[in-house]
Amino acid sequence: MASISIRDVSKSYGALPVLQGLDLDIRDGEFVSFLGPSGCGKSTLLFCIAGLEEISGGAIRLDGQDMGRIPPRDRNIALVFQDYALYPHMRVRENIAFPLQQQRLPAQTVQKQVAWAAELLGLEALLDRSPAELSGGQRQRVAVGRAIVRNPAALLMDEPLSNLDASLRVRMRTEIKRLQRELGMTVVFVTHDQEEAMVLSDRIAVMDAGVLQQFAEPMTVYREPANQFVASFIGSPQMNFLPGPVAGGGMAASSLLGVRPYDLSPTRRPGPDDLTVEGTLTLIEPAGPVTFLDVTLADGSLVKATCPDPRTHQPGEPLTLAVPRGSVSVFNADNGKRTGALAPPSGARVRDGVAEAVAHRA
Amino acid sequence: MSGTTHVPALRPPVRERVTERVPGFFYAAVAPTLLAVLLVVGVPLGYSLFLSLNRINPITHRWLFVGFGNYAALPGNAELWAALGRTAYFAALSVAGTTALGMVFALLLNARFVGRGVLRSVVLVPWAMASVSVGVLWSFLFAGDFGGVNGVLNDLGFPSLATPWLGDGFRALNLVALVHVWNQAPLRALMLLAGLQSMPASLHKAAMLDGAGPVRRFVAITLPWLKPNLLFISIIATINALMAFDVLWIMTRGGPGSATTVLAWLGYLTAFQFFKFGEGAAILYVLTLLSFVLAILYFAVLGPRRAAPVRADGLTALPGGQGRHGMAALPPFRPRTRLLPRPVARVLAQGGFWAVALLVFLWSALPVAALLLMSLTPASDLIRTPASMVPSTITLDNFVSVLLPGRVAAQASSVQAQRVPLSLLNSFAVGAVVAAVSVVLGTLAGYAFARHDKTPAFKLSLWALLLTRMTPGLTLVLPFFIGFRAAGLIDTRTALMVSYCSFLLPLSTWMMRSYFEGVPRSLDRAALIDGCSRLKALWKILLPVVRPGIVATAIFCFLASWNEFLFALILTSTPRAQTIPVILAGFLSQAQFYTYGPLFAATVLSVAPPVAVAFLFQRYLVQGALSGSVKG
């Protein structure tokens, strides 16, 4: 397994830039997801790492070795394709053995390694079937088997779960995670499903329009989104954005407050560190574990909040919504960048406490 | 049908097995096509069979029923065995040649490079040309005294290599096969290209990452993927080789001696030259049966492949921890050793690619360019000895003499040249009507077959239609002649239109069916729910969706009609209804040296519309080849 270093990589199709100055360092044995809306360049970047697409600028290094002039077949990188790309005329056994045969390994080694991969993935009963006889989940496992069988330097996966139905998708992603832990593989996983990325990854690289937006651990991306794009792309339902002055305390008019619906709930007695907004309840959406509330604020904007029980509220009633100030992100509305969390109310003791803690640590 | 609508209660409920009630609309939609094909192909085929069971005196017109006597006499006919041998040799060369060349073309044309669109069109030209035009072109190129090949050899300073190319029997057979390959390879390329384009791009990418080089990927991925295409291409190529007639008629007429007398030619000779109708019909029926056997093989290949059922069992949960099988000790990954440094290899690969592209371009374009040059050469230059391809001057005289016969002094224009304008008009009129009728009826029938191919009656008639495509024209032409003569339609454009429509209906039906199959049924249902009648749904909603198919079908039908020779030759006798291939062939029968110039001008004119089509509609032709029913 290997580390992957991506330095100032850019790529364009003619005049159309698809990747712009990307910098990423993927550590050995790390599980990294490329996450973004379709067309953001995440699959292109994956294909660049594999060598199937050429980069227009920058460098990609595998364990420090520049891959610029190395064709895909000499990179020792495996890729699981979105459509699995199983060779249709070869049986499962031949599919898995194919990469090993290309290295001209002795037949005995090939056989032993295929048996290992088949057992690891629970494919032993399927070895003599042809891909047409396999279900989606089985094909997916065969594709993974063909990828890991030669112990590649890195395993790349291009939306490998997107063709599976929902329940299978959840099962397979757990299996992939376990496999990665067991083998200590470096995995790069492309997805547009934020939940998949959150659950699987050690770190997530959020991309938009060919530009890296944030590269951090999943909870950091969720709690401290680097900018408004990341904030609104991660989390469902989407983060609410309120004008800065709502918070009072001299917030600049050009700032925006990002509040996750899960942090915002109706209250009768707001705590001292809560930020509160007033509005009218317009819609109640019970979703099982939580209930979503659509609340229209005085300025006409709509925010989404959550409460545990739908029966305690009626549409049309006035509500006070509260959110702990510490979980509110503040964005600069001009460039969309996050400037930090909302500070506690001025003069509050808590602030001193934080200051003390900081001083103490220092 | 009424018997099958009642489903016995005990039968297990199998999906798709329950016979659907087919709305009357669909019966009405297939009726005209089936009726036309039955009348115009089925009845003559039966008549031809009857003919083969008789011996007919051509002078007294006395029929003598001999049962299988004509067939029984065949094994004792040494000439027949010889012809069968030549046919096998010709077919083997043709299949190997068209498949190999078609593969090279298809691989080349599937790559992305500057000028691919143009090269695709150029490659199609030899196929789009009428086989008569192909024959005219090559028979002059190979001609002994003034021929183009000899001319080039003289021009290059190798006069000693000049020879009457078609003079030697075995060489003539090989050369005719070569010309056949030249003419047919583009169609095989189209079919293979369709197969290549249906291959998911990820297969090659995956193999590349798995460490396979270009050659290995071709062998391990591309070839197996194309296996069904290759198999059915070789069958189609065999049938086409069996039926090859036009090129032989123009180039060698079975000679020298009997060196190029293949089975089709022997049948033609027996029936139409020696007027042994019964014996000739028997030979041609053997040919027909041979084609049918191959066609049935073809059905087996093309027919719905039994997909292995998807089985969701057998997937065990992932075992945790240490399993029975340990990981094999793999040697550290070592990139392969290179024979050449990468930049050198790259330049070589690029150079090789462009060299192949250039060769393919020259192979396709050079003979056509020679034709164009000869049509612009003064007629007297074409009969110079020693021959030369360098014209003394470039002139439009040849075109003037065929297009504006009145403008040329009487002795410079031949009778045949004066017939060219009308024959072009005839070809256009017949082609346009045939394309229109075939598309209309084929669309209706294709739609019905696409929506109801599970119903036994529809399934059966669909395959029967395809079988009629495999019937050699030679078997049908005599009954056609007799039938049209009885109807008083000999020597009319109507006779040609009726015959062409009936052989092209199966083609257009099959092509349209494959396009309609690509249209989801939900579209029909939505239109019906929104208040359309079936016909209105077809007209308003489905036709716009299958428009590319309509264009492709119309083009294929027009080209087939424009290029047809045998029926036009037999069913017309005066310039009134003769089409351009017949007129071209007529030039050769007259064998007047001074008409070579006008002949080539007329050939260029005969080739121009198909070539224009190849250039303008190349994209549609590639799509059309996907439907798998295109032949010849």
Side-chain angles (χ1 to χ4, degrees):
Chain A
M1 292 296 153
S3 63
I4 303 169
S5 129
I6 294 164
R7 279 278 164 274
D8 196 27
V9 162
S10 53
K11 175 170 181 62
S12 46
Y13 293 118
L16 181 77
V18 283
L19 297 176
Q20 301 181 44
L22 290 171
D23 278 305
L24 280 171
D25 272 305
I26 298 166
R27 294 188 278 262
D28 186 5
E30 194 174 22
F31 197 122
V32 167
S33 290
F34 294 169
L35 176 65
S38 47
C40 72
K42 55 192 191 297
S43 291
T44 309
L45 179 58
L46 196 76
F47 283 177
C48 287
I49 296 174
L52 295 171
E53 301 261 6
E54 284 185 23
I55 51 178
S56 327
I60 294 176
R61 289 191 187 84
L62 217 66
D63 267 346
Q65 192 197 356
D66 186 22
M67 289 286 121
R69 296 195 157 274
I70 307 211
R73 55 192 282 210
D74 294 335
R75 292 190 184 195
N76 195 21
I77 283 180
L79 177 56
V80 175
F81 287 82
Q82 188 170 6
D83 61 1
Y84 315 135
L86 299 183
Y87 308 127
H89 50 277
M90 295 183 197
R91 305 202 165 274
V92 169
R93 185 191 304 280
E94 295 156 342
N95 258 289
I96 297 179
F98 189 76
L100 298 176
Q101 284 161 350
Q102 298 321 302
Q103 294 181 29
R104 298 178 205 285
L105 297 176
Q108 214 175 359
T109 313
V110 171
Q111 203 181 354
K112 188 162 180 238
Q113 186 71 352
V114 170
W116 165 77
E119 191 195 26
L120 191 67
L121 289 160
L123 291 171
E124 284 157 314
L126 306 180
L127 281 175
D128 289 310
R129 291 199 195 165
S130 75
E133 294 171 285
L134 302 180
S135 68
Q138 294 170 336
R139 286 179 203 188
Q140 208 271 338
R141 277 201 200 171
V142 175
V144 172
R146 192 177 69 189
I148 62 168
V149 72
R150 63 188 155 114
N151 196 13
L155 174 62
L156 314 183
M157 303 179 109
D158 184 16
E159 308 212 16
L161 304 179
S162 62
N163 286 343
L164 303 179
D165 60 48
S167 65
L168 195 56
R169 196 150 57 207
V170 171
R171 227 179 85 202
M172 294 309 274
R173 82 181 179 208
T174 312
E175 290 185 359
I176 288 176
K177 181 75 176 172
R178 202 161 72 185
L179 205 61
Q180 185 257 345
R181 286 274 177 274
E182 224 167 87
L183 301 176
M185 290 186 292
T186 309
V187 174
V188 182
F189 188 94
V190 162
T191 179
H192 61 262
D193 181 335
Q194 41 149 326
E195 191 183 308
E196 228 164 75
M198 296 281 291
V199 169
L200 284 171
S201 316
D202 295 322
R203 283 190 292 168
I204 301 178
V206 185
M207 294 174 64
D208 184 41
V211 178
L212 182 65
Q213 305 292 326
Q214 187 169 13
F215 185 37
E217 282 156 24
M219 281 319 282
T220 311
V221 171
Y222 183 76
R223 279 283 154 217
E224 295 160 30
N227 56 37
Q228 242 185 300
F229 171 81
V230 178
S232 53
F233 190 76
I234 303 275
S236 169
Q238 231 185 25
M239 186 181 253
N240 298 301
F241 290 101
L242 303 171
V246 169
M251 285 297 292
S254 66
S255 62
L256 277 178
L257 306 178
V259 182
R260 297 230 174 256
Y262 284 99
D263 297 333
L264 187 65
S265 21
T267 181
R268 291 186 202 287
R269 234 169 288 146
D273 295 338
D274 284 352
L275 170 68
T276 58
V277 286
E278 311 282 333
T280 313
L281 181 58
T282 46
L283 194 67
I284 302 175
E285 300 170 318
V290 292
T291 295
F292 298 114
L293 304 172
D294 273 10
V295 177
T296 312
L297 302 186
D299 63 353
S301 60
L302 200 70
V303 296
K304 221 177 240 312
T306 47
C307 72
D309 190 347
R311 286 165 299 187
T312 51
H313 297 285
Q314 287 296 320
E317 69 179 36
L319 277 184
T320 302
L321 300 172
V323 51
R325 294 180 78 97
S327 34
V328 176
S329 290
V330 182
F331 297 96
N332 180 335
D334 296 327
N335 59 15
K337 291 229 185 310
R338 183 177 191 270
T339 51
L342 192 60
S346 48
R349 270 179 304 129
V350 184
R351 190 184 175 196
D352 300 338
V354 170
E356 265 169 32
V358 171
H360 203 81
R361 207 173 294 163
Chain B
M1 285 306 303
S2 56
T4 54
T5 47
H6 174 72
V7 182
L10 281 178
R11 193 189 285 175
V14 180
R15 219 151 42 89
E16 303 284 3
R17 273 292 283 282
V18 178
T19 308
E20 244 178 309
R21 242 184 66 81
V22 179
F25 171 82
F26 292 103
Y27 288 107
V30 297
T33 296
L34 289 182
L35 208 66
V37 173
L38 180 72
L39 275 181
V40 189
V41 181
V43 171
L45 205 57
Y47 183 87
S48 215
L49 181 64
F50 179 64
L51 207 61
S52 73
L53 303 178
N54 285 277
R55 213 160 277 167
I56 301 146
N57 186 321
I59 298 161
T60 60
H61 295 282
R62 283 275 297 277
W63 287 55
L64 178 67
F65 187 80
V66 294
F68 287 97
N70 289 329
Y71 292 96
L74 289 180
N77 183 343
E79 185 51 34
L80 180 91
W81 287 107
L84 204 60
R86 286 181 213 112
T87 308
Y89 180 77
F90 181 85
L93 273 191
S94 152
V95 170
T98 53
T99 308
L101 213 57
M103 181 65 91
V104 172
F105 288 3
L107 288 174
L108 179 70
L109 296 178
N110 196 40
R112 281 167 195 279
F113 59 94
V114 181
R116 177 174 75 166
V118 176
L119 192 59
R120 276 190 180 179
S121 300
V122 169
V123 160
L124 287 180
V125 167
W127 162 73
M129 284 171 72
S131 42
V132 168
S133 314
V134 170
V136 165
L137 165 62
W138 284 96
S139 57
F140 184 78
L141 288 179
F142 288 138
D145 20 20
F146 333 108
V149 173
N150 288 344
V152 170
L153 289 173
N154 288 336
D155 293 339
L156 294 177
F158 304 105
S160 56
L161 292 178
T163 177
W165 292 96
L166 296 174
D168 175 71
F170 185 58
R171 190 165 56 204
L173 184 60
N174 285 312
L175 287 177
V176 172
L178 180 76
V179 171
H180 186 75
V181 167
W182 186 76
N183 178 225
Q184 298 271 313
L187 186 66
R188 311 290 167 254
L190 275 188
M191 291 168 166
L192 287 173
L193 190 59
L196 285 176
Q197 290 191 334
S198 68
M199 181 163 60
S202 57
L203 286 187
H204 267 266
K205 289 181 178 170
M208 214 184 275
L209 286 169
D210 285 345
V215 177
R216 178 87 181 110
R217 289 203 306 274
F218 177 75
V219 175
I221 312 290
T222 310
L223 269 188
W225 180 267
L226 291 178
K227 205 172 111 190
N229 303 57
L230 282 170
L231 199 59
F232 105 74
I233 277 174
S234 48
I235 293 167
I236 287 286
T238 315
I239 292 178
N240 273 351
L242 288 184
M243 294 193 211
F245 173 77
D246 303 3
V247 169
L248 285 166
W249 197 97
I250 302 287
M251 286 184 70
T252 62
R253 296 187 152 246
S258 58
T260 57
T261 299
V262 290
L263 208 54
W265 186 262
L266 186 68
Y268 170 80
L269 218 57
T270 312
F272 297 99
Q273 303 282 303
F274 307 148
F275 299 107
K276 294 181 185 168
F277 294 125
E279 293 87 333
I283 294 176
L284 291 174
Y285 233 85
V286 169
L287 190 69
T288 309
L289 290 178
L290 218 54
S291 300
F292 281 0
V293 168
L294 288 166
I296 286 161
L297 260 173
Y298 165 57
F299 294 169
V301 174
L302 189 71
R305 240 157 295 152
R306 227 160 296 144
V310 169
R311 288 180 290 166
D313 60 305
L315 192 65
T316 46
L318 292 192
Q322 214 56 34
R324 280 172 297 128
H325 298 285
M327 202 172 162
L330 294 181
F333 180 80
R334 199 174 299 118
R336 71 218 139 93
T337 43
R338 304 177 166 283
L339 295 174
L340 294 165
R342 188 162 151 78
V344 176
R346 212 173 201 180
V347 166
L348 278 182
Q350 281 283 314
F353 177 85
W354 286 107
V356 171
L358 182 70
L359 280 177
V360 167
F361 175 82
L362 291 178
W363 163 269
S364 306
L366 215 52
V368 184
L371 175 67
L372 201 63
L373 181 69
M374 293 184 306
S375 73
L376 296 171
T377 302
S380 55
D381 281 12
L382 293 171
I383 47 173
R384 275 178 297 183
T385 44
S388 165
M389 277 296 280
V390 184
S392 56
T393 174
I394 293 290
T395 171
L396 285 175
D397 283 356
N398 299 324
F399 285 95
V400 172
S401 74
V402 293
L403 283 177
L404 305 163
R407 294 270 301 275
V408 187
Q411 73 274 16
S413 173
S414 68
V415 180
Q416 200 66 13
Q418 289 170 15
R419 294 172 176 168
V420 170
L422 181 62
S423 70
L424 285 171
L425 212 63
N426 285 338
S427 280
F428 259 114
V430 172
V433 171
V434 166
V437 173
S438 308
V439 164
V440 171
L441 295 184
T443 301
L444 280 170
Y447 175 53
F449 282 125
R451 290 301 181 244
H452 289 283
D453 56 350
K454 295 283 191 298
T455 318
F458 279 74
K459 201 172 180 175
L460 198 71
S461 50
L462 183 62
W463 290 109
L465 275 184
L466 192 58
L467 204 62
T468 66
R469 287 284 298 152
M470 308 297 168
T471 313
L474 276 168
T475 318
L476 298 175
V477 73
L478 187 64
F480 266 53
F481 179 77
I482 294 165
F484 281 117
R485 193 173 54 185
L489 286 173
I490 281 298
D491 209 19
T492 62
R493 281 173 291 206
T494 316
L496 294 182
M497 289 170 189
V498 170
S499 7
Y500 295 173
C501 281
S502 39
F503 350 112
L504 290 175
L505 272 175
L507 171 75
S508 60
T509 302
W510 265 80
M511 280 184 78
M512 288 313 299
R513 172 178 165 269
S514 72
Y515 280 96
F516 276 116
E517 279 186 331
V519 180
R521 275 165 200 244
S522 54
L523 211 56
D524 305 31
R525 293 183 181 138
L528 290 178
I529 286 170
D530 289 345
C532 289
S533 66
R534 292 227 175 241
L535 196 62
K536 197 167 176 193
L538 179 63
W539 178 253
K540 283 260 188 205
I541 307 296
L542 298 174
L543 281 196
V545 179
V546 297
R547 217 183 51 181
I550 292 179
V551 174
T553 307
I555 292 169
F556 273 101
C557 291
F558 180 81
L559 283 184
S561 159
W562 178 274
N563 291 343
E564 205 287 330
F565 172 59
L566 174 67
F567 283 76
L569 179 71
I570 303 286
L571 298 182
T572 62
S573 51
T574 68
R576 207 154 60 89
Q578 279 175 343
T579 53
I580 183 75
V582 181
I583 296 295
L584 291 181
F587 270 105
L588 292 179
S589 318
Q590 293 187 346
Q592 287 161 314
F593 295 138
Y594 60 85
T595 60
Y596 271 139
L599 168 60
F600 292 131
T603 307
V604 168
L605 293 173
S606 80
V607 166
V611 169
V613 162
F615 270 83
L616 291 176
F617 298 105
Q618 167 257 112
R619 195 164 54 86
Y620 291 100
L621 294 175
V622 174
Q623 280 184 354
L626 263 170
S627 73
S629 58
V630 178
K631 177 188 76 79

